[in-house]
Amino acid sequence: MNQVQIIVLDFGSQYTQLIARRLREHGVYTEIVPYFEDIEKIKSKQPKGIILSGGPASVYEEDSYKPDSKIFELGIPILGICYGMQYIAHHFGGKVLKADKQEFGKAHLEVLGGEKINFISFDKYKIRQNEESILLLWEDSVRASHCFLKESDIIEIKDEVKEGLSACDIFMVAEHDGRFLGFIGCIDNKIEMLFVSSKYFNCKIGKGLIKCVLNDRSDVIAVDCNTQNNDALSFYQNIGFEIFKESKTDSKGRNFPVTHLRGKADKIRENLKNIKEIIISKSQIFNNVKNNSIVWMSHADRVEEIPQGFVELAKSGNTHYCAIANLDKNIYALQFHPEVVHSECGGDILENFAINICMADTSWNMNYFAESEIQKLREVAKSGKVLCAVSGGVDSSVVATLLYRAIGENLIPVFVDTGLLRAGEREAVEAMFRENLGVPLITIDASEIFLGKLKGVTDPEVKRKIIGETFIEVFEAEAKKHNENGEIKFLAQGTLYPDVIESVSVKGPSKTIKSHHNVGGLPDWMKFELIEPLRELFKDEVRALGRELGMPESMLIRHPFPGPGLAIRIMGEVNKQDLDLLRVCDSIFIEELYKHNLYNKVWQAFCVLLNVKSVGVMGDNRTYDNTICVRAVEALDGMTATFSHLPHSFLEGVANRIINEVEGINRVVYDITSKPPGTIEWE
């Protein structure tokens, strides 16, 4: 499946790609295009919905970003986020003003009109009493999910369901405001029937019903599922059921193949532990979003008056119109950013929009990405060899593996020892490629070149640019050795989206934060075309891709390491003495994380040499030595991050080891800054 399900129009938010990433988590194939994308191009992709991203502009300014207004004539759902909300309000005649006070950070979302679903147990008398309503729900659900059934089949099976209702020893319904939204019936340890109203597919009602009937069971639960009903099969397998048998006909001998599944109650219950209260909002976009959940605000403007035809869906302490919608036109707007990890139920909100409102397909995954990317690389690189920049980190290793699958020996992987690597990095990289990938790696020792060019340089931007330019120069020199007849046509890099979004505008006007080591392409005088197969993936997606490609886990769990290496973890000038000192400190920190089983619990951990001296006392002597900053963060993708709450006793042990074992360090500090407002790296 490669049809675009959701299109995101980029108005310049630093978080735009997170929207796509959150939706891809749910298997929804999503593309980002600039806000000015031609309406005919949008039409040609036949998306199920459109999302307008946030952005730094103000809608009331003369040169503000505006998409083609014909997007509102496509007849598909539209969601505006932050600037996207303000644009929608402004476009439809609402009033947007500069806020009296800018709002950046956490807020509590008050969903208006949300009500809890009730799960009610029915005895045989209540089943008979409500039989007509139950059968109407069954028919609605079956017509929406069993497209392979003929009208005669539905009539025949309906009579069988009617008989089966009274045979159930456990029967429960999901009810809201006097309406039945779903029901489940069991006989002994088998689910005989589970159906949900088509209006409430993907609202977790089926999961809630199963959780209710499990109670304290510890035995095996069985269920039969029509093999042609792929969505139902995926549903059962995702919560812990496993296929153990298949039949060519159903229980009545009809030519409907049946898949028999079973699962341990404990395992299923564990998978459903996060299904608690199920909330139905007056709009599906807030279904199962708990009241007073935390959301992330980042705006300087506010909607003062909503347009005619729109209603208020939610508010926060500081923002009256936190969410609005025109339910008749299927247009929704949020002032906060559901895509960032700080928004507690943000993923649920985006899932509600894409799957429940847009009815998007959810079959996209890393297997699809790997297959399509390998085919694309074969096509792109068929005219020549590819020089691949290998750092030894997860990103470039996945790129090399992907390329090797695609073009085999036409890949020339080159590893540059910049002199800015961690302790033992070069040896580990060479062994990894030799033993795990079977790829002959070319190693270039360019440490003297890099350190020579960095001598006397203190500005972090200049350091990054020097390192990036030197990378290109070294690659060009190496390429000439393998390119006597012009065989090499391409240069591959492990660029990820967080690299790109912090460096250049990608498919839209995203504002630049800082330049990066491997973003921006090649100088005009180089003859190689740039290949960046991971350019629009996030770190966790790259790891998932690596697993799909069969790479060893040891290569995939490594913490991210920046291309400029330790140069951006030394404040000020970079020299060999400081690099050696930082390597020892960093090794101690990482060693202690492994020792205390904390390495895999943080997203990234490292040390920074601050080059700030302070007075200390060691033994009977006064010292005046350097300071090391210890940094550890938790994140999903690197676009946002929070500092890791490591145990104080652990941090004390790390500090003691560094001060006692590393000459020249007499003070250790721990960085408790999140992103935003800070960045993960110091430079």
Side-chain angles (χ1 to χ4, degrees):
M1 190 288 272
N2 60 359
Q3 183 187 350
V4 177
Q5 298 296 299
I6 303 293
I7 284 180
V8 180
L9 299 187
D10 179 16
F11 288 88
S13 169
Q14 302 299 332
Y15 308 131
T16 298
Q17 192 82 358
L18 281 177
I19 302 169
R21 187 251 156 156
R22 293 284 179 267
L23 292 174
R24 291 201 298 256
E25 282 180 351
H26 297 291
V28 178
Y29 184 65
T30 306
E31 281 191 0
I32 294 175
V33 299
Y35 70 90
F36 49 80
E37 184 82 344
D38 183 77
I39 191 67
E40 294 304 321
K41 286 186 178 179
I42 293 175
K43 283 183 182 178
S44 69
K45 294 175 190 265
Q46 298 181 315
K48 301 284 183 64
I50 291 175
I51 296 178
L52 313 181
S53 83
S58 294
V59 293
Y60 46 75
E61 293 175 350
E62 191 175 335
D63 58 349
S64 62
Y65 304 140
K66 293 182 175 66
D68 192 319
S69 62
K70 290 180 181 176
I71 60 172
F72 297 111
E73 300 172 11
L74 296 177
I76 57 177
I78 290 177
L79 170 64
I81 295 173
C82 197
Y83 178 87
M85 172 184 183
Q86 293 155 18
Y87 168 73
I88 286 172
H90 183 74
H91 174 77
F92 285 99
K95 193 173 183 180
V96 180
L97 301 174
K98 186 175 182 63
D100 296 331
K101 188 169 67 173
Q102 295 183 352
E103 189 176 17
F104 298 100
K106 295 177 181 179
H108 290 275
L109 181 71
E110 182 183 343
V111 178
L112 305 178
E115 295 180 8
K116 186 175 73 170
I117 287 178
N118 301 308
F119 293 98
I120 305 170
S121 180
F122 274 19
D123 58 21
K124 295 187 187 299
Y125 173 75
K126 281 191 175 180
I127 293 173
R128 286 195 302 273
Q129 195 177 32
N130 293 278
E131 186 179 88
E132 185 178 349
S133 297
I134 293 169
L135 289 174
L136 282 173
L137 190 156
W138 172 86
E139 189 171 342
D140 164 76
S141 181
V142 166
R143 289 187 184 280
S145 59
H146 292 60
C147 301
F148 47 86
L149 292 179
K150 298 176 184 176
E151 187 65 29
S152 57
D153 297 326
I154 293 175
I155 294 171
E156 182 181 345
I157 296 171
K158 185 176 180 179
D159 289 336
E160 295 166 12
V161 172
K162 184 177 179 179
E163 291 179 16
L165 290 175
S166 58
C168 294
D169 52 39
I170 297 176
F171 193 89
M172 297 197 76
V173 298
E175 179 270 345
H176 173 255
D177 197 23
R179 292 177 294 116
F180 296 159
L181 311 184
F183 67 87
I184 188 170
C186 302
I187 299 176
D188 295 328
N189 288 338
K190 185 177 181 183
I191 298 172
E192 292 291 343
M193 52 186 76
L194 173 60
F195 294 94
V196 173
S197 166
S198 62
K199 187 179 178 181
Y200 296 97
F201 284 175
N202 302 305
C203 290
K204 300 183 173 65
I205 291 173
K207 293 179 179 178
L209 286 164
I210 291 176
K211 185 176 181 181
C212 285
V213 300
L214 284 180
N215 292 325
D216 297 321
R217 293 174 185 248
S218 58
D219 43 12
V220 174
I221 308 298
V223 66
D224 293 342
C225 181
N226 195 296
T227 306
Q228 293 168 276
N229 192 347
N230 292 323
D231 289 339
L233 274 174
S234 297
F235 167 81
Y236 287 120
Q237 289 176 293
N238 286 339
I239 62 174
F241 284 90
E242 297 178 357
I243 297 172
F244 73 94
K245 182 183 172 185
E246 294 192 346
S247 301
K248 293 181 180 180
T249 61
D250 67 6
S251 59
K252 300 294 183 180
R254 290 176 292 238
N255 291 322
F256 297 132
V258 174
T259 299
H260 306 275
L261 305 99
R262 60 189 176 192
K264 292 182 178 178
D266 289 342
K267 180 181 178 182
I268 298 167
R269 193 161 32 244
E270 175 65 21
N271 290 337
L272 297 177
K273 66 181 180 182
N274 292 326
I275 305 296
K276 296 174 183 175
E277 287 188 346
I278 297 178
I279 306 297
I280 293 294
S281 169
K282 62 183 176 183
S283 164
Q284 288 190 66
I285 200 162
F286 287 125
N287 280 351
N288 301 317
V289 174
K290 69 179 184 180
N291 225 351
N292 292 314
S293 66
I294 294 170
V295 294
W296 187 260
M297 295 287 191
S298 181
H299 62 97
D301 296 331
R302 63 183 173 85
V303 175
E304 175 71 10
E305 295 177 9
I306 62 176
Q308 187 174 358
F310 282 72
V311 294
E312 183 181 9
L313 299 181
K315 62 183 180 179
S316 71
N318 296 323
T319 305
H320 191 53
Y321 297 120
C322 199
I324 62 174
N326 185 317
L327 299 175
D328 293 332
K329 294 183 177 180
N330 248 351
I331 298 173
Y332 303 82
L334 310 173
Q335 184 58 75
F336 57 92
H337 287 273
E339 68 272 27
V340 303
V341 70
H342 303 306
S343 288
E344 194 177 356
C345 299
D348 293 326
I349 294 169
L350 290 173
E351 180 185 5
N352 283 337
F353 174 73
I355 299 175
N356 299 343
I357 295 172
C358 299
M359 303 299 290
D361 184 278
T362 58
S363 60
W364 187 84
N365 54 40
M366 276 299 131
N367 176 262
Y368 164 76
F369 180 87
E371 290 179 359
S372 62
E373 197 63 32
I374 286 170
Q375 286 298 118
K376 191 188 300 181
L377 289 170
R378 281 179 185 150
E379 184 63 28
V380 169
K382 64 183 179 183
S383 61
K385 294 192 174 184
V386 179
L387 184 67
C388 180
V390 172
S391 70
V394 175
D395 311 334
S396 61
S397 298
V398 170
V399 167
T401 305
L402 199 63
L403 280 163
Y404 195 68
R405 289 280 185 91
I407 60 175
E409 293 182 359
N410 280 337
L411 170 67
I412 303 173
V414 176
F415 172 62
V416 177
D417 182 354
T418 62
L420 307 171
L421 304 172
R422 292 169 288 195
E425 189 98 18
R426 173 173 171 173
E427 296 77 11
V429 170
E430 289 175 327
M432 179 175 66
F433 272 80
R434 182 176 61 249
E435 296 168 12
N436 295 116
L437 299 178
V439 179
L441 185 67
I442 300 166
T443 302
I444 305 167
D445 187 348
S447 53
E448 291 187 10
I449 298 173
F450 279 86
L451 290 177
K453 291 195 174 189
L454 289 169
K455 187 174 182 180
V457 178
T458 58
D459 184 272
E461 280 295 286
V462 177
K463 281 198 276 188
R464 285 175 172 271
K465 283 181 167 45
I466 287 173
I467 292 166
E469 290 167 1
T470 307
F471 253 99
I472 299 298
E473 292 172 11
V474 171
F475 280 129
E476 185 190 29
E478 183 63 26
K480 289 177 180 176
K481 302 175 186 177
H482 307 274
N483 200 38
E484 293 180 0
N485 300 311
E487 298 92 337
I488 298 176
K489 304 291 184 185
F490 307 95
L491 173 66
Q493 292 183 160
T495 310
L496 302 192
Y497 180 73
D499 301 333
V500 175
I501 196 65
E502 292 186 348
S503 309
V504 295
S505 180
V506 179
K507 293 187 176 178
S510 301
K511 282 197 167 181
T512 300
I513 296 177
K514 61 186 180 183
S515 66
H516 200 273
H517 65 285
N518 60 357
V519 181
L522 304 172
D524 294 338
W525 43 265
M526 284 196 71
K527 301 182 186 297
F528 305 135
E529 292 182 42
L530 192 62
I531 291 178
E532 296 172 307
L534 311 181
R535 187 179 177 87
E536 295 186 357
L537 293 185
F538 291 85
K539 179 65 71 175
D540 60 321
E541 292 179 316
V542 174
R543 289 192 173 106
L545 177 58
R547 290 185 186 99
E548 191 66 41
L549 294 169
M551 292 176 62
E553 195 68 18
S554 59
M555 294 170 65
L556 299 173
I557 63 171
R558 295 172 58 130
H559 289 177
F561 187 64
L566 299 180
I568 59 169
R569 294 178 180 174
I570 294 176
M571 303 296 99
E573 182 181 357
V574 180
N575 56 62
K576 189 176 185 305
Q577 181 180 347
D578 283 353
L579 284 165
D580 290 340
L581 186 148
L582 180 57
R583 284 190 187 100
V584 178
C585 295
D586 197 68
S587 295
I588 290 172
F589 185 29
I590 299 302
E591 182 182 315
E592 288 295 309
L593 285 169
Y594 272 115
K595 181 179 174 182
H596 290 82
N597 296 316
L598 292 170
Y599 184 82
N600 292 331
K601 295 180 181 178
V602 300
W603 192 75
Q604 188 176 12
F606 55 89
C607 291
V608 181
L609 182 62
L610 300 186
N611 274 323
V612 172
K613 290 191 173 184
S614 64
V615 174
V617 178
M618 298 183 74
D620 294 326
N621 299 317
R622 175 186 180 275
T623 61
Y624 188 61
D625 286 329
N626 219 324
T627 305
I628 277 286
C629 173
V630 174
R631 177 83 157 138
V633 297
E634 295 173 6
L636 291 175
D637 41 52
M639 291 295 289
T640 60
T642 56
F643 73 91
S644 298
H645 292 256
L646 297 174
H648 289 181
S649 57
F650 167 80
L651 291 171
E652 183 181 15
V654 170
N656 286 340
R657 275 199 64 188
I658 289 174
I659 291 170
N660 290 330
E661 297 177 27
V662 185
E663 187 176 351
I665 299 295
N666 70 350
R667 191 176 297 272
V668 176
V669 298
Y670 186 54
D671 185 351
I672 61 168
T673 311
S674 294
K675 175 185 180 181
T679 54
I680 295 175
E681 298 289 347
W682 274 51
E683 288 192 346

